[in-house]
RNA sequence: GCUGAAGUAGCUCAGCUGGUAGAGCAGCGGUUUCGUAAACCGCAGGUCGUCGGUUCAAAUCCGACCUUCAGCUCCA
């Protein structure tokens, strides 16, 4: 029998080891530093414990904190540690599942009648630190299915027993550390001592196995790091996100407010409305230049339309209904079905296509109350919608120009786009040949531009494949905003759309649904957080403020403000009887891009002392020069 | 919709175990005329989310509802 195995490393090197060597031993053979940092080991396509014996040739990678899979086992192990702490403080707790997540870990708990309080979290956290000190190793054992069931029957944990139901007949792996043993496929880090910094973040309800039909358990979210510094940085980022919260900034900067009287629908204040209008203006300019025609369709339409489109069957509960003259109307939850009425207004020729109809439409969706959240989830949505009707052979061209359009938009905001391609789902409708062709077109468009994308198999809409565009904001958070959806069914077939082809036959067009901002509400929420309220100057509700030093400089200040105003700069004159320091402080907090301080010196030589937001005093400038500068920055939609 | 938490002046918040409300900022009136992040004095401002209950007495205790927040579920 062969007693040596070949291990190949990520750098391509291969070395021989004794059969049955562990990941830890391999790491140690490379360096003691690596062993200290090693958390788990990638073996071929799997992630294993460092202690597990390797019996065959394999390609391996020692996983550290820097590796995503390293973090995963670290956080997963932290969740076991938390479970141990919970069990020791609250004996009798039943355990659901306790996985790692993108940032940290959680464990779902059934604690009977006990409701966890923030104090409990502190106690659990302290207990965890206590256990960390014992540096207990995570030990993997395997039991037969019957023994596993017996174990949890004795422990009386119905959730684990339910999980075991699905593993019938298999060898079941368990992990034990300290006094806690859990059903778990692993892997885990070598020992609890590796967990240096822990923070339990929150407790919330969560349905067992994610189904609202099941019992609600209590979920503790937590995060852990190899050093206190990492934890501090993470907590700082959470604070930073709170500081940028658009609900807070929207109020402070007087952009919009919400009132109980209209849950889920913002009242746009004058300053917020300026931003809304600037976005609309920018959008319309772009679309006008790109062959779009703007339309506007009724908000209140008879339910018959939604029956025909299929929405009535699926989304009836989410529509606002109005009874009038014994007829049921609905506030439109989407624009698309109505755009077909404009398509069908005339007989369309193949020469007319593509027809690009854009619509800034106000939609209403009765989102369940628990889903509402600031501008991110509203019941009244203003969508930058468009429906492009084209021939199947035009899909590629259209998708190409849409991708360009989206990229151009996001570049203006300094947002990085990322693409997801979603393909045919199992319950797809429509001609498979069209599906193939459309998926091919979408792929071709992305590949042709050398864009990286995630393939989301079977994640398309029932009516066609789509490209979703995500952006990453200044805090590295990802948002799904734009979407490009090809549609063979919902509009073309349900509304029996046709065009006359070259040969005189009647053909069915393809519809492409697309949105760039997604919705004005959500987009403004996102960019508020992205820019932390300090918007690029073209969007900024106030672009410059004139601050006279004393009353004596009012006439000159007025002259400066007038000059800016006639150059179409949104300018305010702060004529309050306050010290300059006071005014500067206040306009800094309001994030005004420019402050123009005018006093004796400026008055005497037609200049302004320029102060830029966060950058401070830029020194004096001749008024005309400053106007040229700011006008240029506005028209170029400059980001600084 | 579900679980938990919260709702006091325009805003941010204090108000212990029941004795009918308080601060800072903002606002208004004065004084001050000032050079790059908060001058000073004064005034005014609240059915304590709504409705009901317990009590001699409720911001405070109880119930229902509304709204918000965290998470779950949902998101055409």
């Amino acid at each position: 029998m062969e007693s040596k195995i070949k291990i190949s490393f990520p750098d391509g090197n291969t070395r021989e080891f004794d059969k049955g060597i562990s990941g830890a031993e391999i790491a140690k053979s490379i360096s003691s530093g690596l062993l200290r940092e090693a958390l788990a080991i990638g073996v071929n396509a799997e992630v294993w414990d460092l202690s597990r014996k390797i019996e065959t040739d394999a390609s391996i990678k020692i996983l550290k904190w820097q590796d995503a899979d390293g973090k995963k086992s670290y956080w997963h192990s932290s969740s076991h540690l938390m479970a141990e702490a919970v069990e020791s403080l609250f004996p009798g707790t039943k355990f659901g599942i306790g996985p790692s997540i993108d940032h940290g870990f959680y464990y779902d708990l059934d604690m009977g009648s006990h409701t966890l309080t923030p104090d409990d979290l502190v106690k659990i956290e302290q207990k965890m630190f206590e256990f960390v000190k014992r540096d207990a190793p995570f030990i993997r054992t395997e039991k037969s299915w019957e023994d596993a069931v017996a174990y949890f029957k004795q422990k009386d944990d119905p959730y684990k027993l339910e999980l075991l139901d699905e593993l019938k007949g298999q060898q079941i792996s368990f992990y034990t550390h300290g006094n806690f043993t859990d059903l778990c496929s692993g892997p885990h880090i070598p020992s609890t001592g590796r967990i240096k910094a822990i923070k339990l973040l929150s407790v919330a309800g969560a349905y067992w196995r994610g189904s609202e039909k099941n019992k609600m358990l209590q979920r503790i979210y937590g995060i852990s790091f190899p050093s206190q510094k990492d934890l501090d940085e993470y907590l700082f980022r959470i604070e930073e996100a709170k500081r940028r919260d658009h609900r807070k900034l929207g109020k402070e900067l007087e952009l919009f407010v919400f009132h109980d009287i209209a849950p889920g629908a913002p009242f746009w204040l004058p300053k917020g409305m300026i931003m809304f209008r600037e976005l609309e203006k920018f959008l319309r300019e772009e679309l006008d230049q790109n062959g779009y025609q703007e339309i506007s369709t009724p908000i209140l339409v008879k339910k018959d339309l939604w029956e025909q489109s299929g929405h009535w069957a699926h989304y009836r509960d989410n529509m606002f209904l109005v009874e009038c003259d014994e007829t049921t109307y609905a506030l439109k939850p989407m624009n698309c079905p109505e755009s077909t009425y404009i398509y069908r207004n005339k007989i369309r020729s193949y020469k007319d296509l593509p027809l690009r109809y854009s619509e800034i439409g106000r939609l209403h969706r009765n989102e369940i109350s628990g889903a509402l959240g600031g501008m991110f989830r509203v019941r009244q949505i203003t969508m930058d919608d468009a429906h492009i009707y084209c021939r199947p052979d035009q899909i590629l061209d259209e998708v190409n120009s849409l991708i360009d359009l989206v990229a151009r938009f996001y570049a203006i905001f300094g947002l990085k786009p990322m693409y997801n391609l979603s393909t045919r789902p199992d319950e797809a409708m429509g001609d498979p040949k069209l599906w193939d062709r459309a998926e091919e077109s979408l792929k071709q468009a992305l590949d042709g531009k050398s864009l990286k994308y995630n393939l989301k198999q079977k994640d398309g809409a029932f009516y066609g494949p789509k490209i979703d565009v995500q952006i990453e904001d200044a805090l590295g958070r990802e948002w799904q905003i734009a979407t490009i959806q090809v549609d063979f069914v919902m509009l073309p077939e349900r509304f029996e759309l046709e065009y006359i082809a070259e040969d005189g036959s009647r053909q069915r067009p393809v519809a492409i649904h697309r949105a760039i901002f997604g919705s004005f509400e959500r987009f403004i929420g996102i960019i508020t957080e992205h820019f932390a309220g300090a918007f690029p100057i073209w969007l900024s509700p106030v672009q410059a403020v004139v601050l006279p030093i004393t009353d004596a400089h009012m006439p000159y200040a007025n002259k400066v403000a007038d000059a800016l105003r006639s150059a179409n700069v949104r300018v305010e004159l702060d004529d309050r009887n306050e010290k300059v320091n006071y005014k500067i402080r206040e306009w800094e907090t309001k994030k005004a891009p420019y402050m123009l301080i005018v006093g004796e010196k400026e008055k005497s030589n037609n200049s302004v002392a320029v102060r830029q937001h966060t950058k401070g005093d830029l020194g004096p400038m001749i008024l005309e020069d400053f106007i040229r500068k700011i006008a240029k920055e506005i028209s170029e939609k400059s980001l600084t």
Side-chain angles (χ1 to χ4, degrees):
Chain A
M1 202 167 85
E2 202 49 66
S3 64
K4 295 278 183 187
I5 51 169
K6 269 191 209 144
I7 297 295
S8 56
F9 293 92
D11 61 6
N13 285 334
T14 304
R15 269 173 65 191
E16 282 206 338
F17 288 95
D18 289 337
K19 191 173 168 186
I21 193 166
S22 70
E25 285 159 344
I26 296 175
K28 193 179 170 191
S29 78
I30 297 169
S31 80
S32 56
L34 181 61
L35 178 63
R36 236 186 346 264
E37 281 191 65
L39 297 171
I41 179 170
V43 179
N44 299 325
E46 295 176 15
V47 183
W48 288 13
D49 301 317
L50 282 168
S51 57
R52 194 157 157 191
K53 289 179 174 15
I54 301 170
E55 306 285 355
T56 58
D57 292 354
S59 70
I60 63 111
K61 183 179 186 204
I62 303 291
L63 300 169
K64 302 188 288 184
W65 173 255
Q66 288 71 20
D67 301 292
D69 283 325
K71 281 194 180 75
K72 259 191 183 169
S73 36
Y74 194 89
W75 283 330
H76 185 185
S77 301
S78 303
S79 121
H80 276 227
L81 175 66
M82 178 170 81
E84 184 189 15
V86 169
E87 190 161 60
S88 94
L89 288 167
F90 304 95
T93 298
K94 318 272 187 253
F95 293 89
I97 55 166
S100 68
I101 50 178
D102 287 354
H103 299 283
F105 57 87
Y106 67 77
Y107 218 118
D108 284 347
L109 312 165
D110 182 349
M111 306 181 79
S113 58
H114 181 76
T115 301
L116 285 165
T117 64
D119 270 357
D120 291 335
L121 290 192
V122 173
K123 278 187 209 133
I124 296 166
E125 218 173 274
Q126 282 163 353
K127 203 50 138 178
M128 288 172 75
F129 279 117
E130 218 178 293
F131 291 158
V132 161
K133 287 200 200 106
R134 297 181 187 166
D135 196 17
F138 283 90
I139 299 161
R140 181 189 175 95
T141 53
E142 295 204 351
K143 290 188 207 275
S144 69
W145 184 80
E146 288 74 14
D147 287 350
V149 169
Y151 176 81
F152 283 112
K153 276 209 171 128
Q154 166 264 315
K155 205 182 167 192
D156 188 25
D157 199 325
Y159 303 103
K160 297 295 179 187
L161 287 167
E162 194 180 324
L163 293 174
L164 279 169
D165 266 355
E166 286 165 23
L167 301 170
K168 242 172 217 164
Q170 298 177 29
Q171 274 293 100
I172 307 298
S173 64
F174 277 68
Y175 277 83
T176 303
H177 76 275
N179 295 316
F180 185 75
T181 298
D182 202 356
L183 167 72
C184 178
S185 57
H188 281 282
I189 60 177
S191 66
T192 56
R194 297 298 194 90
I195 301 167
K196 303 292 187 195
I198 305 164
K199 179 78 187 169
L200 300 187
L201 297 164
S202 60
V203 53
Y207 298 111
W208 167 237
R209 315 204 86 182
S211 167
E212 56 184 329
K213 292 188 185 72
N214 290 337
K215 182 169 178 181
M216 184 162 280
L217 309 178
Q218 297 188 74
R219 173 175 297 177
I220 303 178
Y221 283 93
I223 195 156
S224 57
F225 291 95
S227 79
Q228 184 64 36
K229 189 169 148 265
D230 291 332
L231 175 60
D232 290 344
E233 276 168 20
Y234 176 79
L235 294 175
F236 179 79
R237 272 213 308 285
I238 292 180
E239 285 309 307
E240 179 63 13
K242 272 188 204 155
R243 198 177 68 76
R244 290 172 177 241
D245 191 316
H246 71 279
R247 291 169 294 201
K248 180 166 136 45
L249 286 172
K251 203 184 275 178
E252 284 172 9
L253 301 176
E254 300 184 341
L255 304 177
F256 47 77
V257 286
F258 287 89
H259 290 290
D260 289 0
I261 206 71
F267 287 73
W268 288 95
L269 300 172
K271 286 195 165 70
M273 206 54 210
I274 287 173
M275 293 181 56
F276 200 115
R277 282 173 54 181
E278 284 293 343
L279 287 177
E280 274 183 316
K281 199 170 121 197
F282 173 45
L283 181 73
R284 287 190 163 115
E285 280 165 5
E286 283 286 328
L287 298 187
D288 286 350
Q289 282 172 23
N290 283 278
Y292 283 78
Q293 298 171 278
E294 185 166 342
I295 60 171
S296 181
T297 61
I299 287 175
L300 194 58
V301 279
K302 289 186 188 171
K303 79 168 202 274
D304 309 45
L305 177 75
W306 311 109
E307 285 170 346
Q308 191 178 357
S309 70
H311 290 99
W312 190 255
H314 290 290
Y315 295 107
R316 179 187 176 158
D317 289 345
N318 296 309
M319 287 198 248
F320 288 104
L321 304 181
V322 179
E323 292 291 332
C324 186
D325 298 337
E326 293 174 12
T327 303
T328 304
Y329 292 81
L331 295 176
K332 67 174 172 182
M334 297 193 85
N335 295 307
C336 29
E338 291 185 68
S339 79
T340 65
Y341 282 75
I342 291 181
Y343 181 90
R344 289 185 301 174
N345 191 44
K346 285 205 270 190
I347 298 282
R348 303 294 179 178
S349 150
Y350 70 97
K351 295 179 201 165
D352 297 332
L353 304 181
L355 278 168
R356 305 186 188 93
Y357 291 132
S358 65
E359 174 161 18
I360 297 177
R362 192 156 265 189
L363 311 179
H364 295 81
R365 297 178 181 183
N366 192 3
E367 306 285 1
I368 55 177
S369 58
L372 300 178
M375 285 293 192
F376 288 162
R377 195 79 178 272
V378 288
R379 287 195 172 134
Q380 180 184 279
I381 310 158
T382 313
M383 207 167 162
D384 72 314
D385 213 347
H387 300 93
I388 298 170
Y389 294 96
C390 66
R391 307 190 303 261
D393 64 287
Q394 292 172 320
I395 296 175
L396 178 59
D397 279 352
E398 287 306 311
V399 171
N400 261 324
S401 55
L402 281 172
I403 292 174
D404 290 344
L405 187 68
V406 167
R408 206 156 58 240
F409 263 78
Y410 291 167
I412 294 287
F413 299 94
L415 299 166
K416 273 197 311 200
M418 294 170 294
Y419 304 87
N420 296 309
L421 173 61
S422 301
T423 59
R424 190 174 171 191
D426 292 332
E427 70 280 18
M429 294 179 70
D431 183 352
K433 271 187 276 177
L434 272 177
W435 270 91
D436 291 345
R437 193 164 173 183
E439 285 179 11
E440 196 43 47
S441 297
L442 294 181
K443 249 181 230 157
Q444 237 179 303
L446 290 164
D447 289 337
K449 296 177 187 300
S450 310
L451 296 171
K452 278 193 197 153
Y453 59 89
N454 293 319
L455 190 59
K456 291 193 165 175
Q457 297 282 9
K458 299 186 175 187
D459 201 36
F462 70 89
Y463 49 77
K466 62 177 179 175
I467 295 174
D468 285 330
V469 187
Q470 277 182 310
I471 55 96
E472 193 182 304
D473 75 5
L475 287 188
R477 297 174 301 180
E478 291 174 10
W479 307 93
Q480 209 253 287
I481 307 189
T483 184
I484 300 170
Q485 308 187 350
V486 180
D487 172 14
F488 319 117
V489 180
M490 186 162 74
L491 303 184
E493 282 187 12
R494 294 225 158 124
F495 291 91
E496 299 175 340
L497 305 184
E498 290 180 334
Y499 66 90
I500 309 296
E502 218 168 343
D503 62 4
S505 64
R506 287 171 180 263
Q507 299 291 329
R508 189 132 288 172
V510 173
I512 301 175
H513 307 239
R514 76 104 185 94
I516 301 173
F517 296 143
S519 83
F520 283 78
E521 288 80 5
R522 191 171 131 90
F523 190 74
I524 288 177
I526 290 169
I527 59 174
T528 300
E529 304 202 357
H530 173 61
F531 291 116
F535 299 103
I537 194 158
W538 67 280
L539 271 176
S540 193
V542 176
Q543 296 168 319
V545 195
V546 183
L547 309 181
I549 288 177
T550 71
D551 293 349
H553 312 114
M554 277 302 294
Y556 179 63
N558 259 308
K559 196 186 133 193
V560 171
D562 285 345
L564 283 157
R565 213 169 279 125
S566 34
N568 293 316
V569 175
R570 291 187 288 268
V571 61
E572 287 195 21
L573 172 59
D574 191 343
D575 58 1
R576 291 174 303 170
N577 178 10
E578 293 290 351
K579 291 174 76 169
V580 189
N581 279 331
Y582 177 89
K583 294 184 189 177
I584 287 173
R585 178 185 146 76
E586 193 169 289
W587 287 104
E588 280 292 346
T589 64
K590 288 185 178 172
K591 302 174 200 291
Y594 286 109
M595 289 176 226
L596 307 175
I597 292 101
V598 296
E600 211 43 48
K601 278 180 276 178
E602 291 73 22
K603 182 180 154 192
S604 66
N605 63 3
N606 256 318
S607 65
V608 289
V610 182
R611 185 192 165 99
Q612 190 170 9
H613 176 63
T614 67
K615 294 192 179 153
D617 194 356
L618 299 188
M621 279 183 84
I622 299 298
L623 177 59
E624 279 71 31
D625 292 347
F626 175 74
I627 291 177
R628 262 193 294 280
K629 172 184 158 71
I630 192 170
K632 184 159 177 274
E633 286 171 7
I634 292 169
S635 71
E636 287 177 351
K637 299 191 163 57
S638 156
L639 270 173
T640 43

